[in-house]
């Protein structure tokens, strides 16, 4: 495995969360070298020239050397020993299309994606194991609760880094600790990653409920039921001892359901107000991971025989085009 005495880190992606990751790495005091893969050449050149991402979190100053900003993902992969994946889950396969398993051998791969790879119905950790033969001990996951916008404002935030190899998790955590970022280390890589996926679906549900006119009282009941659903799901797919009230699970759920920065809640609110899925996606111009996660989680629930009423309602609205108002009323009768 790669030498972690002085890590070389590569960030794959150029959206808001990737930009926030660049800021965290830059503000962290550990001795390291950082490379950044930016998909678009015009964007990369703008960042090299003006030290800001023109499209996301534009107030963040990019401090890494200009020569470390690349548009060829292979250059980044070859240059580093620790890779942080920061693309939307739907774009991951395309981002890695030129990467072979040999190119990832011996490297630590960190998922900060919080989504499921569409068509594969796999969380990123499983995708890396099955498609790229990355050993589970070399994979880590970064979970919330943490929004990129608050990172850019240097608001105190908390991240959980999970890996079955807790030494790997501790190294990753040491690279993103700052005066405004506190980190926790966990060995529950599967629970952390699945919780990060599920909370996006529940945020879509919360947005739909708000859009159709339900109030705060109902939202509280919705979230109470959501954390029980989350516990049911993660204990079915990966049954180990865990406390669902910890920040990686309940905390990430709460911030995604309630925050003004939650794109999944915003997406759901638009659906509740009558937007079609396509029109909501176009108007947001950002990826709501809960949309893709809804379909994938539905397939996993069928496989394991799990019944999750909130996830079912979101799936029926997004993929079966059922009307939000009657579906949310039917859901309300199932909640306790």
């Amino acid at each position: 495995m790669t030498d972690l005495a002085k890590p070389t880190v590569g960030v794959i992606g150029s959206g808001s969360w990737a930009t926030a990751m660049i800021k965290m790495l830059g503000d962290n005091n550990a001795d390291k070298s950082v490379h950044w893969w930016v998909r678009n050449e015009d964007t990369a050149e703008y960042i090299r020239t003006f030290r800001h991402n023109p499209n996301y979190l534009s107030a963040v100053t990019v401090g890494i050397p200009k020569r470390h900003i690349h548009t060829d993902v292979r250059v980044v992969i070859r240059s580093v020993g620790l890779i942080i994946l920061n693309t939307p889950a739907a774009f991951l396969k395309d981002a890695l299309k030129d990467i072979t398993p040999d190119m990832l051998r011996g490297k630590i791969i960190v998922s900060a994606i919080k989504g499921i790879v569409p068509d594969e119905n796999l969380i990123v950790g499983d995708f890396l194991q099955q498609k790229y033969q990355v050993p589970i001990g070399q994979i880590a996951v970064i979970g919330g609760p943490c929004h990129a916008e608050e990172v850019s404002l240097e608001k105190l935030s908390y991240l959980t880094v999970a890996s079955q190899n807790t030494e790997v998790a501790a190294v990753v955590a040491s690279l993103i600790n700052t005066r405004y970022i506190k980190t926790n280390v966990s060995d529950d890589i599967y629970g952390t990653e699945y919780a990060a996926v599920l909370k996006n679906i529940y945020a879509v549900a919360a947005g739909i409920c708000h859009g159709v006119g339900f109030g705060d009282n109902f939202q509280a009941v919705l979230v109470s039921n959501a954390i029980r659903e989350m516990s049911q799901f993660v204990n079915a797919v990966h049954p180990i001892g865990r406390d669902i009230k910890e920040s990686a699970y309940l905390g990430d759920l709460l911030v995604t359901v309630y925050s003004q920065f939650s794109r999944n809640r915003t997406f759901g609110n638009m659906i509740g107000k009558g937007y079609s899925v396509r029109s909501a996606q176009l108007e947001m111009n950002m990826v709501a991971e809960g949309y893709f996660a809804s379909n994938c989680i539905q397939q996993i629930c069928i496989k394991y025989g799990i019944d999750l009423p909130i996830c079912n309602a979101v799936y029926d609205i997004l993929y079966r085009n059922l009307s939000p108002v009657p579906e949310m009323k039917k859901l309300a009768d199932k909640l306790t």
Side-chain angles (χ1 to χ4, degrees):
M1 193 163 63
T2 185
D3 180 14
L4 296 176
K6 181 183 177 181
T8 50
V9 182
V11 176
I12 308 300
S14 54
S16 58
W17 189 223
T19 306
M21 189 64 63
I22 290 292
K23 176 175 172 58
M24 286 184 275
L25 290 165
D27 290 345
N28 171 271
N29 292 325
D31 189 13
K32 61 187 171 302
S33 174
V34 178
H35 293 254
W36 191 8
W37 176 71
V38 176
R39 181 185 302 271
N40 182 274
E41 178 58 45
D42 289 341
T43 301
E45 188 55 36
Y46 187 99
I47 296 171
R48 294 185 194 109
T49 303
F50 299 106
R51 319 305 294 161
H52 296 276
N53 187 336
N55 303 313
Y56 301 96
L57 303 187
S58 56
V60 169
T61 300
V62 176
I64 64 176
K66 297 179 182 180
R67 66 183 183 280
H68 286 186
I69 300 170
H70 313 278
T71 54
D72 187 340
V73 70
R74 294 168 297 184
V75 173
V76 175
I77 298 296
R78 292 183 181 121
S79 300
V80 305
L82 190 152
I83 301 159
I84 302 177
L85 302 174
N86 262 114
T87 68
F91 302 155
L92 179 62
K93 289 169 71 173
D94 184 62
L96 298 181
K97 67 181 185 298
D98 295 326
I99 302 304
T100 65
D102 284 346
M103 296 168 71
L104 299 182
R105 185 168 290 120
K107 299 179 187 291
I108 292 173
I109 316 296
V110 183
S111 171
I113 289 177
K114 303 183 180 181
I116 286 184
V117 181
D119 302 325
E120 305 288 343
N121 286 346
L122 296 172
I123 51 176
V124 176
D126 283 344
F127 176 75
L128 292 170
Q129 290 179 76
Q130 294 185 25
K131 302 298 181 181
Y132 290 95
Q133 292 82 60
V134 180
I136 185 65
Q138 291 171 216
I139 299 172
V141 171
I142 296 177
C146 188
H147 280 302
E149 290 82 359
E150 291 205 351
V151 172
S152 72
L153 296 170
E154 300 186 358
K155 299 285 188 180
L156 182 61
S157 302
Y158 292 73
L159 290 170
T160 295
V161 183
S163 175
Q164 288 192 352
N165 184 341
T166 53
E167 291 183 5
V168 166
V171 167
V172 176
S174 73
L175 298 175
I176 55 178
N177 270 319
T178 71
R179 61 181 176 78
Y180 56 88
I181 298 290
K182 295 184 181 296
T183 54
N184 301 306
V185 170
S186 168
D187 64 355
D188 184 18
I189 184 172
Y190 288 103
T192 300
E193 190 162 12
Y194 272 120
V197 170
L198 285 162
K199 54 94 176 178
N200 289 327
I201 301 174
Y202 297 129
V204 172
I208 293 173
C209 290
H210 184 269
V212 302
F214 284 97
D216 292 345
N217 294 338
F218 180 78
Q219 292 279 3
V221 174
L222 180 77
V223 175
S224 297
N225 281 262
I227 194 62
R228 295 201 296 271
E229 281 195 11
M230 182 182 289
S231 179
Q232 179 187 350
F233 182 94
V234 296
N235 287 333
V237 300
H238 190 61
I240 65 169
R242 61 172 63 86
D243 184 356
I244 202 69
K245 299 185 296 297
E246 289 181 354
S247 60
Y249 318 106
L250 178 58
D252 206 7
L253 171 66
L254 291 174
V255 76
T256 311
V257 165
Y258 288 121
S259 175
Q260 62 177 319
F261 298 122
S262 173
R263 63 187 69 174
N264 289 285
R265 178 186 169 92
T266 299
F267 174 74
N269 186 53
M270 295 170 74
I271 298 298
K273 290 184 179 297
Y275 283 74
S276 68
V277 167
R278 182 60 177 157
S279 60
Q281 289 172 326
L282 287 171
E283 183 156 326
M284 284 181 61
N285 196 32
M286 298 179 79
V287 174
E289 292 281 10
Y291 170 73
F292 300 102
S294 178
N295 182 49
C296 297
I297 290 293
Q298 193 73 11
Q299 307 312 313
I300 297 171
C301 283
I302 292 171
K303 175 182 176 181
Y304 283 90
I306 308 169
D307 181 34
L308 306 180
I310 301 173
C311 289
N312 293 343
V314 172
Y315 174 82
D316 286 343
I317 292 167
L318 298 183
Y319 286 89
R320 297 181 62 207
N321 297 317
L322 300 187
S323 176
V325 173
E327 290 309 303
M328 286 297 110
K329 287 182 178 178
K330 284 193 286 186
L331 175 64
D333 291 336
K334 299 176 183 177
L335 303 183
T336 58

